[in-house]
Amino acid sequence: MITASADSQHRIDALLLERWDRDPALPALVSGDTVVTMGELRDRVLRAAAALRARGVGPGDRVVVHHERSVEFVVALLGVVFAGAAHAALDVHDPPRRTLRTIEDCAPRALLTSSALRSRFTGMPDLVILTDEDYAVRESSPAPAPAPGPAPVSSSGEDPAVVIYTSGSTGRPKASLISHRALVSRLRALQSTHRMDEHDRMVHHTVCSFDMYLCELYWPLLAGATVVIAAPGRQRDADYLAALIRDHRITTFYCVVSLLELFLLTRDPAERYDGIRQVLTGGEALGPELVKRFHARSTASLTNLYGPSECTIYCTAWVCPRDPGLDTVLIGSAVQDTELWILDEKGVPVADGEPGELHIGGAGLALGYLHRPDLTAERFVTSPAVGPGTRLYRSGDLVRARPDGALEFLGRVDAQVKIRGIRIELGEIEATALRCEGVRQAAVVAHGSGHERRLAAYVVPEEGAGTAELPAAVRRCLRGWLPPYMVPTAVETVDRLPLTPNGKLDRLLLEEWTARRTATPVPATTPVPATTPVLAAPVPPARTPGTLVAVTAADVEAVVSEVWCEALGAAGVDRDDDFFDLGGDSFKVVEVVETLRRRLGTDIPLAALLYEPTVAGLAAELRRLMDMDQESAR
């Protein structure tokens, strides 16, 4: 088992083990019809840890976890930290190239995955790869002895526990190393202000590329509450999540701002969420009108959280007041064990109420960036004006303090943006675009606000490159390297990129270009070739529900394509394009489905587009629904 030490109170594995041993019969995980008790979870985690330790994994090592969201995913994560190593969870839906590059950067000692996904890594013979079957107990086996724990390890709170990858400005994702001490500090801060116990349940639905998934797993498990695991691929389905909340009596829920908006937009206005005690949100700017709409639908508290991965999950919090006159949503004040400083460009504290860059210190700070000493030195700094030896993280966020100490977020000081709550460095997209054949220069900007925020790319073609075909080719190339949320909605070729008088890229002018093109749509991507049968068929007129009108498969594809182009501002779409790759989000799902319901006269569930996100796939599903309607009408 884990060796007790003076530092055990700062080790997440020691604290979890104590919690599980205290109440082994309590439910720890719920996934569909499967319930895993704390004692069962302990045994499964210790077996996974023992399997890793038997293969040489220990303190200082890193282990990649590559699982769909599931009980097995949770067991794998915890097995890594109980073996003394740090886990790096990679999204199974990322492009294979990106996953392999991230694994190469991580240099893990081992990789944990499922038997269904193991074939993705056949080209890595030097990497220890374990599936959940390698440490599972077979039902046909004799009753197992108590699960063996890993051999004693030196337990220090400063050991890394988590590796979080985020977008990097140089085209290379960067990884923050989070220690046990930092993780425990943040979980205790949450528990001190938003207490949970064995009567509470929290949904785990956040993708592992966003560090809030740590809150959804470690916090309830440490508090003795139950984690209810959302099915893979359903995290964007508001109807599904609403049913999960109701059926499993969820009391604590986290979601990014855009998902909170989706709940209030798509559910029956009369539906209330009074069963939830507390809702946490963040990742994007939270508007006062959304706060008021939420409070009108629920008695739950609503807390706005803020914080970059480098400070472990969050560093400020603001409980939104039930104020009908609310005009500004703040990001709040420092949480437990945290220091906040607002400094000017010289590293000197600004006057009260003046704007400046937020610098974060305290127990939640990351150890630094993996394999990036230069970047660590650049972002984790000391300021003589603050105090000798005080280590701070330069957030890049502009804020100002209100008289009561709560902070107001004002914007960014660099080219980092957020799309659907996930941090994106525009430089990474630009560097990837330069790898695409025929591209000499590339620039990417973000435009719009809130859930309408989109990415647009401008590329200068190499001499002799076909400019008409280049935008579509660039999007295809980017889809092979980047996750969907980083692929620009529009790609446009230009003769040259605008420069400032000192020769740097003029991003402000590019943003103005994009704003004008958005206001007056122009072809932003290559028109679909005539050989592609997307818009070839005439678009049928809208039909009345219940009428028997002959609509061919080509007609339905034409309707879907036209509606997508209208909603996404695209000049054309291919029948195999992915709605979310093109910039679709939860709000666009609602818009598209409502329009298709009117055009086709068929009751279409929101989940149809979530499950079939291509033109061809959605058209086939709609054709099936229409056939069912017509059969019922007969």
Side-chain angles (χ1 to χ4, degrees):
M1 306 299 284
I2 297 171
T3 305
S5 74
D7 213 19
S8 62
Q9 289 304 298
H10 300 289
R11 295 275 307 189
I12 189 64
D13 44 5
L15 294 173
L16 285 174
L17 192 62
E18 188 276 330
R19 172 76 254 190
W20 296 339
D21 285 343
R22 192 191 329 158
D23 296 296
L26 286 178
L29 307 176
V30 174
S31 180
D33 296 330
T34 300
V35 177
V36 179
T37 67
M38 293 187 177
E40 291 167 342
L41 180 59
R42 173 197 61 203
D43 292 348
R44 292 182 64 169
V45 166
L46 292 181
R47 274 191 289 273
L52 287 169
R53 294 296 307 281
R55 289 159 177 82
V57 174
D61 289 330
R62 293 169 297 281
V63 176
V64 165
V65 175
H66 195 72
H67 273 277
E68 287 275 17
R69 185 168 46 248
S70 59
V71 169
E72 290 73 25
F73 171 72
V74 179
V75 170
L77 285 181
L78 300 179
V80 172
V81 293
F82 271 76
H87 59 70
L90 304 185
D91 192 340
V92 298
H93 301 292
D94 279 352
R97 287 178 176 175
R98 183 179 180 85
T99 298
L100 295 177
R101 287 183 66 208
T102 304
I103 291 173
E104 181 181 358
D105 179 82
C106 184
R109 187 66 178 268
L111 182 146
L112 298 181
T113 189
S114 65
S115 55
L117 299 176
R118 196 187 192 290
S119 61
R120 296 184 178 187
F121 310 103
T122 53
M124 310 182 79
D126 297 331
L127 181 62
V128 174
I129 300 177
L130 293 175
T131 70
D132 46 286
E133 293 183 352
D134 292 323
Y135 45 83
V137 174
R138 306 284 186 263
E139 292 184 5
S140 58
S141 302
V153 297
S154 171
S155 53
S156 167
E158 302 308 318
D159 288 342
V162 182
V163 181
I164 291 286
Y165 273 92
T166 55
S167 179
S169 59
T170 63
R172 170 186 171 192
K174 59 183 182 290
S176 299
L177 284 173
I178 308 298
S179 69
H180 281 258
R181 185 183 300 273
L183 182 57
V184 169
S185 172
R186 285 297 181 258
L187 298 175
R188 283 178 169 159
L190 276 167
Q191 183 69 353
S192 68
T193 57
H194 295 71
R195 183 174 178 79
M196 283 199 292
D197 58 26
E198 62 272 18
H199 303 293
D200 287 292
R201 291 186 163 202
M202 186 173 188
V203 176
H204 165 45
H205 67 99
T206 299
V207 294
C208 61
S209 53
F210 186 22
D211 64 353
M212 206 61 199
Y213 87 92
L214 299 170
C215 162
E216 294 175 342
L217 292 178
Y218 283 105
W219 178 25
L221 290 177
L222 196 61
T226 303
V227 177
V228 178
I229 302 173
R234 304 299 296 275
Q235 66 273 7
R236 291 187 293 215
D237 188 340
D239 289 346
Y240 167 78
L241 290 176
L244 201 68
I245 289 170
R246 180 187 63 247
D247 296 344
H248 289 276
R249 302 184 304 282
I250 300 301
T251 62
T252 303
F253 186 62
Y254 173 85
C255 63
V256 294
V257 172
S258 56
L259 183 57
L260 180 63
E261 180 96 47
L262 178 70
F263 263 89
L264 302 184
L265 183 67
T266 60
R267 306 298 297 164
D268 186 331
E271 184 175 17
R272 296 189 58 83
Y273 300 95
D274 294 329
I276 303 178
R277 286 196 305 107
Q278 48 195 7
V279 173
L280 313 174
T281 190
E284 302 162 286
L286 177 62
E289 291 307 313
L290 179 56
V291 173
K292 295 172 190 176
R293 279 187 280 140
F294 172 81
H295 282 152
R297 303 273 292 275
S298 178
T299 57
S301 62
L302 179 65
T303 303
N304 190 29
L305 303 182
Y306 158 86
S309 299
E310 289 85 350
C311 74
T312 311
I313 306 175
Y314 80 127
C315 63
T316 72
W318 195 64
V319 179
C320 302
R322 291 181 176 272
D323 179 4
L326 182 69
D327 60 2
T328 304
V329 177
L330 306 180
I331 61 173
S333 52
V335 301
Q336 179 179 299
D337 296 333
T338 300
E339 297 178 3
L340 302 178
W341 296 86
I342 306 174
L343 307 180
D344 63 19
E345 63 275 7
K346 296 179 181 178
V348 176
V350 301
D352 290 346
E354 291 297 312
E357 182 178 0
L358 180 62
H359 289 61
I360 305 161
L365 281 196
L367 299 170
Y369 295 114
L370 177 65
H371 302 148
R372 304 288 291 276
D374 52 340
L375 188 59
T376 298
E378 176 187 335
R379 304 304 300 182
F380 293 85
V381 300
T382 58
S383 171
V386 170
T390 301
R391 186 168 174 264
L392 302 172
Y393 171 69
R394 291 181 52 205
S395 71
D397 288 332
L398 283 174
V399 301
R400 66 170 163 233
R402 293 293 187 92
D404 62 357
L407 301 184
E408 179 182 357
F409 177 80
L410 302 175
R412 290 288 301 175
V413 300
D414 55 21
Q416 184 187 107
V417 299
K418 280 195 173 184
I419 300 292
R420 299 196 289 276
I422 300 178
R423 278 167 53 181
I424 295 173
E425 295 283 359
L426 299 180
E428 180 175 0
I429 307 173
E430 293 166 348
T432 305
L434 291 175
R435 304 160 87 177
C436 301
E437 185 177 354
V439 175
R440 180 163 58 89
Q441 291 178 296
V444 179
V445 295
H447 63 97
S449 60
H451 67 273
E452 294 285 350
R453 199 150 174 79
R454 298 284 186 274
L455 296 173
Y458 295 88
V459 295
V460 177
E462 291 179 341
E463 189 173 348
T467 56
E469 301 81 13
L470 189 59
V474 169
R475 290 196 77 256
R476 284 195 299 270
C477 176
L478 293 177
R479 283 202 299 263
W481 285 102
L482 300 173
Y485 57 82
M486 292 182 68
V487 178
T489 305
V491 178
E492 185 175 346
T493 58
V494 292
D495 294 334
R496 68 178 74 87
L497 295 176
L499 302 177
T500 62
N502 62 5
K504 293 184 177 181
L505 177 68
D506 192 337
R507 290 192 182 275
L508 289 179
L509 184 55
L510 271 183
E511 290 171 3
E512 291 177 10
W513 285 8
T514 308
R516 288 198 297 269
R517 283 158 170 74
T518 304
T520 306
V522 299
T525 56
T526 304
V528 180
T531 55
T532 304
V534 176
L535 294 174
V539 178
R543 73 187 187 100
T544 304
T547 58
L548 302 181
V549 178
V551 181
T552 68
D555 288 339
V556 178
E557 282 202 13
V559 173
V560 172
S561 298
E562 183 180 78
V563 172
W564 282 24
C565 288
E566 292 171 357
L568 300 172
V573 293
D574 187 87
R575 68 193 308 271
D576 294 321
D577 270 342
D578 185 289
F579 181 76
F580 298 100
D581 285 359
L582 292 171
D585 59 17
S586 300
F587 297 93
K588 294 298 181 185
V589 168
V590 176
E591 178 183 342
V592 165
V593 171
E594 287 294 338
T595 304
L596 288 172
R597 284 171 179 166
R598 292 194 302 270
R599 292 298 307 273
L600 298 175
T602 297
D603 185 20
I604 304 168
L606 287 175
L609 181 50
L610 298 170
Y611 288 139
E612 298 289 351
T614 66
V615 171
L618 180 59
E621 174 62 13
L622 297 185
R623 191 73 183 89
R624 185 185 70 81
L625 293 172
M626 294 170 69
D627 288 344
M628 291 175 60
D629 279 356
Q630 293 198 356
E631 190 65 32
S632 299
R634 291 190 181 96

